[in-house]
C-alpha cells in the first residue's frame, strides 16, 4: 500500500511538471528556395546580445531559443538580407516564405510578428515599385496607431532614420508618439541621443571647428579654406560604396580645380595608413586628403555626427552648413549658385567704387 501511494505521488509530480509552462521559445520555419543553408539570428540591441545559428535542411529549420523578455532580433540570410524577428519567452514562432520574396515573410507566434507581417502584406497594395513617400506614409500611420509596438521602432529606423537625408524633426515627432516603455529601449535611447547630436550640425547650423593631419602629414583646419565653399567628403578605403563614389568627386574636382571659391576635402575613416595612401593613389584623389586613423571613433566623425558612409557636407565661407549628402546634380546646382553670388558681389563692389 505504501508503494502504491508513493507511485501515485510520483505520477502527480510528473504530471505537474509536464503541465508547467516553459519559458523556452520554439521556432520552426520553411522558406522555399532556402535549401540546405544557414541563417544567423542576432540581437538588434543590448537586450539580446548573443548569436544563434539556424541550420536548414530542404528549406526547413527549427530551434529552441531563449529570451528573458520581449526582444527584437534579426534573421541574417546568406545573401546578406536581414529581417526582424520578435521573440518572447514561451512563444511558438512559425516562419513561412520564399527566398524570392524575403522582404515579406509570414511570421506568427506573438503580436509584433503578426503586426509586421500584416504591414508588409499591406505594402503589396502599393504595387511593385512604391514611392518613398508612399512607404513613409504607411510607416507613419502604423507608428501613430501602434505607439507601444516594437514594430514601430523598426519602421522608424528603416523608413526614416536610414533615409539618406533624414528629417530629424519628423523623426523626433514620431519618436514622441511612442510610449515611455519603448523610449526606454536601448535602440531608442541611442536614437534620441543621435537626433540630439545631429541637430547640432543640421543644415543652417555653424560647423564645428576641426583639425586634422593631411596626406603630407601637416595640420589642416577649417581656417585653411578661408573664403571658400568647402565640400567635405567622408569615406574609407574599405567601403565599396565610397570607392565607387570617388568617380563623382573626380569629375567635380576636374571641373572646379581652378575655382578659387570652392575646395574639396576628403576625410577618411581608415585605420591603416598604408592602405589609405595606396587608395588615394589608386583612385587618383588629387584634392586635399586627411585622416586621423581613428575610424568611427575619430573626433571629426563625432563632431559632425557621421553615421554612414559615404557622406558629404557642404560648408559656406563663414562655416555655415549649406547641405548634406548632395548628389552630383545638387552639387553642380550649388556651384552655380556660388558662381552667381560671386558675380553679384563683384557687380555690387563695382557700383560702390563708382560712387
Amino acid at each position: 500500500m505504501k508503494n502504491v501511494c508513493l507511485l501515485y505521488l510520483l505520477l502527480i509530480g510528473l504530471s505537474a511538471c509536464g503541465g508547467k509552462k516553459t519559458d523556452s521559445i520554439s521556432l520552426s520555419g520553411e522558406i522555399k528556395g532556402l535549401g540546405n543553408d544557414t541563417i544567423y539570428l542576432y540581437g538588434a540591441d543590448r537586450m539580446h546580445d548573443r548569436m544563434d545559428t539556424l541550420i536548414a535542411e530542404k528549406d526547413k529549420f527549427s530551434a529552441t531559443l531563449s529570451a528573458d523578455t520581449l526582444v527584437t532580433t534579426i534573421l541574417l540570410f546568406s545573401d546578406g538580407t536581414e529581417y526582424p524577428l520578435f521573440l518572447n519567452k514561451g512563444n511558438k514562432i512559425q516562419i513561412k516564405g520564399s527566398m524570392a520574396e524575403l522582404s515579406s515573410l509570414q511570421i506568427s507566434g506573438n503580436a509584433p510578428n503578426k503586426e509586421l507581417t500584416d504591414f508588409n502584406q499591406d505594402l503589396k497594395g502599393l504595387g511593385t515599385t512604391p514611392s518613398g513617400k508612399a512607404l513613409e506614409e504607411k510607416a507613419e500611420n502604423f507608428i501613430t496607431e501602434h505607439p507601444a509596438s516594437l514594430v514601430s521602432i523598426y519602421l522608424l529606423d528603416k523608413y526614416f532614420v536610414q533615409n539618406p537625408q533624414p528629417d530629424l524633426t519628423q523623426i523626433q515627432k514620431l519618436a514622441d508618439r511612442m510610449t515611455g516603455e519603448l523610449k526606454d529601449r536601448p535602440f531608442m535611447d541611442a536614437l534620441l541621443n543621435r537626433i540630439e547630436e545631429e541637430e547640432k550640425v543640421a543644415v543652417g547650423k555653424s560647423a564645428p571647428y576641426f583639425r586634422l593631419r593631411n596626406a603630407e602629414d601637416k595640420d589642416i583646419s577649417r581656417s585653411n579654406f578661408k573664403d571658400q565653399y568647402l565640400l567635405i567628403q567622408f569615406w574609407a578605403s574599405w567601403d565599396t560604396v565610397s570607392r565607387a563614389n570617388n568617380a563623382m568627386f573626380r569629375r567635380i574636382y576636374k571641373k572646379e580645380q581652378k575655382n578659387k571659391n570652392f575646395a574639396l576635402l576628403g576625410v577618411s575613416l581608415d585605420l591603416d595608413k598604408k592602405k589609405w595612401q595606396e587608395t588615394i593613389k589608386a583612385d587618383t584623389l588629387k584634392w586635399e586628403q586627411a585622416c586621423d586613423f581613428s575610424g568611427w571613433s575619430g573626433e571629426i566623425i563625432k563632431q559632425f555626427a557621421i553615421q554612414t558612409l559615404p557622406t558629404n557636407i557642404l560648408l559656406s565661407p563663414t562655416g555655415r552648413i549649406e547641405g548634406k549628402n548632395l548628389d552630383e546634380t545638387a552639387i553642380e546646382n550649388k556651384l552655380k549658385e556660388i558662381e552667381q553670388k560671386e558675380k553679384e558681389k563683384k557687380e555690387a563692389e563695382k557700383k560702390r567704387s563708382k560712387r
Side-chain angles (χ1 to χ4, degrees):
M1 182 69 178
K2 186 182 289 186
N3 289 338
V4 173
C5 289
L6 287 173
L7 179 60
Y8 179 69
L9 291 172
L10 179 61
L11 289 172
I12 291 175
L14 289 173
S15 175
C17 291
K20 183 180 179 180
K21 186 179 179 181
T22 177
D23 285 347
S24 64
I25 300 166
S26 169
L27 183 149
S28 63
E30 181 176 5
I31 298 178
K32 294 178 181 179
L34 180 61
N36 302 328
D37 206 346
T38 300
I39 306 172
Y40 294 98
L41 179 75
Y42 66 92
D45 58 41
R46 294 190 302 273
M47 298 184 78
H48 188 88
D49 57 0
R50 57 188 173 275
M51 172 80 77
D52 291 290
T53 304
L54 308 176
I55 306 298
E57 292 185 8
K58 297 181 180 179
D59 298 345
K60 297 181 180 180
F61 54 91
S62 63
T64 299
L65 308 170
S66 63
D68 296 327
T69 186
L70 180 61
V71 295
T72 303
T73 63
I74 301 293
L75 293 167
L76 174 61
F77 294 87
S78 58
D79 66 353
T81 299
E82 295 183 336
Y83 195 91
L85 175 66
F86 305 98
L87 303 176
N88 201 355
K89 55 186 178 182
N91 287 165
K92 292 183 178 180
I93 306 295
Q94 289 189 319
I95 304 173
K96 294 182 180 181
S98 166
M99 287 297 290
E101 202 173 6
L102 284 178
S103 61
S104 57
L105 296 176
Q106 296 176 37
I107 305 179
S108 61
N110 59 37
N113 286 320
K114 185 178 185 306
E115 287 168 354
L116 183 58
T117 296
D118 292 343
F119 176 83
N120 285 328
Q121 288 296 315
D122 190 37
L123 290 187
K124 291 183 178 181
L126 298 177
T128 54
T129 55
S131 67
K133 185 177 180 181
L135 292 171
E136 287 180 8
E137 286 178 355
K138 286 285 188 181
E140 182 174 357
N141 289 338
F142 182 94
I143 293 169
T144 301
E145 295 169 6
H146 300 79
S149 173
L150 281 183
V151 179
S152 292
I153 294 181
Y154 168 73
L155 296 180
L156 178 67
D157 182 44
K158 180 176 181 179
Y159 292 106
F160 300 95
V161 177
Q162 294 185 31
N163 191 308
Q165 297 194 43
D167 185 335
L168 300 181
T169 302
Q170 185 180 25
I171 292 171
Q172 183 68 66
K173 181 181 72 173
L174 293 174
D176 287 343
R177 293 177 183 173
M178 296 183 186
T179 62
E181 184 179 350
L182 282 191
K183 291 177 183 178
D184 289 338
R185 291 268 169 171
F187 173 82
M188 283 299 294
D189 186 45
L191 174 60
L192 295 175
N193 286 336
R194 174 183 168 184
I195 291 172
E196 185 178 342
E197 291 302 311
E198 290 197 0
E199 283 179 339
K200 295 177 184 177
V201 287
V203 174
K205 298 291 181 67
S206 294
Y209 179 81
F210 61 86
R211 183 182 295 275
L212 292 164
R213 300 288 283 184
N214 66 8
E216 286 73 45
D217 205 29
K218 296 179 180 179
D219 280 341
I220 60 168
S221 67
R222 178 71 187 89
S223 304
N224 289 73
F225 306 95
K226 188 178 179 181
D227 300 325
Q228 289 181 303
Y229 281 84
L230 176 64
L231 183 62
I232 307 176
Q233 166 211 12
F234 292 91
W235 70 287
S237 66
W238 42 261
D239 181 59
T240 55
V241 182
S242 290
R243 296 289 296 275
N245 218 31
N246 279 336
M248 177 185 80
F249 288 102
R250 280 196 299 270
R251 290 192 294 270
I252 292 169
Y253 177 75
K254 187 176 181 180
K255 290 179 183 177
E256 305 296 332
Q257 59 182 312
K258 294 182 180 179
N259 185 348
K260 295 181 180 180
N261 301 310
F262 175 77
L264 256 175
L265 170 63
V267 176
S268 172
L269 274 70
D270 274 87
L271 297 170
D272 186 324
K273 186 174 184 178
K274 185 179 179 182
K275 181 65 176 176
W276 173 60
Q277 291 172 330
E278 288 175 349
T279 305
I280 290 173
K281 185 177 180 180
D283 288 10
T284 322
L285 310 183
K286 296 181 178 181
W287 53 96
E288 189 77 85
Q289 297 291 329
C291 185
D292 64 6
F293 307 105
S294 299
W296 289 104
S297 300
E299 185 63 26
I300 191 171
I301 302 304
K302 295 176 182 178
Q303 288 176 310
F304 282 92
I306 303 303
Q307 300 291 334
T308 59
L309 290 180
T311 291
N312 65 71
I313 297 177
L314 180 65
L315 307 183
S316 73
T318 59
R320 181 181 183 272
I321 298 174
E322 294 285 324
K324 286 186 172 185
N325 295 319
L326 305 172
D327 59 21
E328 192 165 2
T329 301
I331 292 170
E332 288 177 350
N333 290 337
K334 280 288 183 181
L335 291 172
K336 288 177 182 177
E337 287 180 22
I338 293 169
E339 185 180 2
Q340 182 61 33
K341 285 179 181 179
E342 287 303 313
K343 284 182 179 179
E344 292 173 357
K345 183 179 176 181
K346 288 179 180 179
E347 288 175 1
E349 288 174 352
K350 285 181 180 180
K351 288 180 180 178
R352 281 197 298 268
S353 64
K354 289 179 180 178
R355 289 176 184 175

